[in-house]
Amino acid sequence: MKGTFIDYELLRQFDLDAFRKRSPFPWENIGGFLTREGFQYLYTNFPSLELFEYHNNRRRSHDQRPHNRHYLAYENSIYHRDRPAEAGGVVGRGQLPTAWQGFMDELETSDEYQRFIRRALGISAFIPRYAWHVGSRGSEVSPHLDTPTKIGTHILYFNTSDDWNPEWGGATLVLGGKKIKAMNPDFADFETSTAARITDNHSFLFKNTSSAWHGATALTSPDDSYRRLFNIIFEMPRRSVGRKLVDRARALFKLPD
């Protein structure tokens, strides 16, 4: 493919002020982040499921229901710090289809995209991390907050109207107005729920805050249909993690300074 994967003109027209002011936390369901050609190229060449590992009933930090899914990390995994890229669930650049090699190169060298993310999230620096997720029938993302070391995430979905029926679920839900104090709420424990579109070159950008509750209800898709996405995760530089963790804990649990 010639040219770039990212539609930079769309980024230049993005309303950053409206994004930052959005409730219950900054988020946007972006249509057309990738060029048409770029989306089709990546969609057609999505990494083989053989590269993934299946996460089955892994315990979560606040005893939420498990996020069962197929998972593939780029270069190193938070679940297997010592696992080489050649092992299952971790992929190196050279193992990726050519399309994805080109996209990864663009993500890691694009000054314009990186400036856009810094401005949107209100940060001066971040460390990126990348992972592919594939959900199948019964997969669920129970309501949760991301870990405090995450500044934000850009989720790129790789389904189309031809291969995915919205009635099967899978939409990322923006949850607001939590009605209980517990950190393992259910979807019914929120006053509002707004669904983000996940088909036809849509993506979901959000900033991680103490109000950034989100999830996706259990899939009811046929056995041969899969919810496919690619996560671009923006994490705190290591030198600032300690201070930020303390501040986040105080905000979440209303601790005194």
Side-chain angles (χ1 to χ4, degrees):
M1 190 192 90
K2 296 181 180 179
T4 64
F5 289 87
I6 298 171
D7 185 341
Y8 290 102
E9 187 56 36
L10 180 143
L11 296 188
R12 294 167 196 146
Q13 296 176 6
F14 189 88
D15 191 337
L16 288 168
D17 189 56
F19 170 80
R20 298 187 192 106
K21 293 178 179 178
R22 197 157 192 178
S23 180
F25 56 88
W27 67 274
E28 183 63 42
N29 193 193
I30 304 171
F33 167 71
L34 299 171
T35 65
R36 290 185 181 181
E37 183 182 15
F39 173 79
Q40 189 61 44
Y41 198 26
L42 295 172
Y43 169 83
T44 303
N45 294 279
F46 198 82
S48 170
L49 201 60
E50 295 177 354
L51 295 170
F52 290 67
E53 67 173 351
Y54 189 68
H55 288 183
N56 184 43
N57 295 332
R58 285 177 175 266
R59 184 176 180 181
R60 298 189 56 77
S61 57
H62 297 288
D63 291 327
Q64 304 103 323
R65 290 188 299 277
H67 295 179
N68 294 342
R69 63 194 175 189
H70 300 271
Y71 181 89
L72 179 64
Y74 183 62
E75 293 191 336
N76 55 75
S77 173
I78 59 173
Y79 299 102
H80 306 288
R81 292 294 186 183
D82 58 348
R83 178 174 289 190
E86 294 77 17
V90 184
V91 67
R93 182 185 182 281
Q95 295 172 279
L96 289 172
T98 301
W100 282 91
Q101 291 184 31
F103 184 46
M104 298 308 300
D105 290 345
E106 183 171 350
L107 286 176
E108 296 196 320
T109 61
S110 173
D111 290 338
E112 185 165 0
Y113 179 63
Q114 293 171 18
R115 285 197 304 271
F116 167 76
I117 292 299
R118 289 196 296 268
R119 292 177 64 199
L121 301 182
I123 55 176
S124 59
F126 61 81
I127 296 174
R129 178 166 61 82
Y130 310 97
W132 294 261
H133 296 185
V134 173
S136 54
R137 183 178 181 86
S139 294
E140 177 192 24
V141 183
S142 54
H144 67 285
L145 292 175
D146 284 348
T147 59
T149 54
K150 288 186 183 180
I151 305 169
T153 303
H154 194 180
I155 308 172
L156 280 57
Y157 304 103
F158 287 94
N159 288 97
T160 70
S161 298
D162 293 329
D163 68 42
W164 192 262
N165 186 335
E167 293 180 358
W168 299 338
T172 298
L173 301 177
V174 175
L175 304 170
K178 187 160 74 81
K179 296 181 287 187
I180 63 173
K181 292 183 179 181
M183 295 298 289
N184 58 345
D186 208 336
F187 292 99
D189 295 321
F190 293 86
E191 295 176 354
T192 62
S193 176
T194 304
R197 183 176 176 183
I198 66 170
T199 57
D200 303 322
N201 196 11
H202 276 77
S203 65
F204 182 77
L205 174 67
F206 73 98
K207 181 174 182 177
N208 188 27
T209 73
S210 58
S211 301
W213 289 92
H214 59 287
T217 56
L219 303 181
T220 60
S221 49
D223 291 338
D224 59 350
S225 295
Y226 300 94
R227 176 185 187 259
R228 308 192 305 176
L229 61 84
F230 175 66
N231 269 351
I232 309 170
I233 302 120
F234 310 103
E235 297 188 317
M236 297 175 186
R238 291 177 179 83
R239 64 181 180 276
S240 63
V241 166
R243 178 68 256 172
K244 295 292 186 180
L245 282 173
V246 171
D247 291 344
R248 181 72 185 281
R250 284 174 173 155
L252 285 174
F253 300 107
K254 297 181 173 58
L255 300 177
D257 291 338

